[in-house]
Amino acid sequence: TIVNPNPDDLWTEQCLKGLDHKTLIDNVFAMVYEETATAYNHDTGEKLTPAQVKNLENEEGFARENIGMIQFKEAWYMNPGSGQMTKKVLSMVLGMGVYSNLGEFKGNKAIMRIELP
């Protein structure tokens, strides 16, 4: 979760306190447009060109600030001798909040998968 849909959820508010949502999302999209990362349609697995991603951004109802979820696929490495742990993000799925007609948060809908180098 990168946007708290419930301001009464103090735990999530605390967890997201230092997150710069705009910078994070803008950088992800910049990587796609600069072709240092590759976007895929989450439902079909089809590779998306930067132009197709731009078209997605222009669709009614799409707004970067509405991206409220990122699901990461990671490789975790641990050196048992030193206890040092590192992880590498392999890909991420971006999701947008879905709301009822009354404005109640229903959950997140996957938009696209971003593969990182």
Side-chain angles (χ1 to χ4, degrees), residues 54-65:
K54 183 54 112 177
N55 288 339
L56 174 71
E57 282 203 83
N58 290 328
E59 287 181 9
E60 185 176 335
F62 183 92
R64 289 184 184 187
E65 56 268 13

Side-chain angles (χ1 to χ4, degrees), residues 66-95:
N66 292 340
I67 297 173
M69 186 263 325
I70 300 179
Q71 181 180 28
F72 294 99
K73 181 177 181 182
E74 304 168 328
W76 293 31
Y77 306 95
M78 178 181 266
N79 179 333
S82 68
Q84 183 178 24
M85 184 173 197
T86 58
K87 57 185 179 174
K88 176 179 167 94
V89 175
L90 305 173
S91 67
M92 61 184 94
V93 176
L94 305 181

Side-chain angles (χ1 to χ4, degrees), residues 39-51:
Y40 294 86
N41 179 300
H42 179 70
D43 296 326
T44 66
E46 170 196 3
K47 183 177 178 180
L48 301 174
T49 66

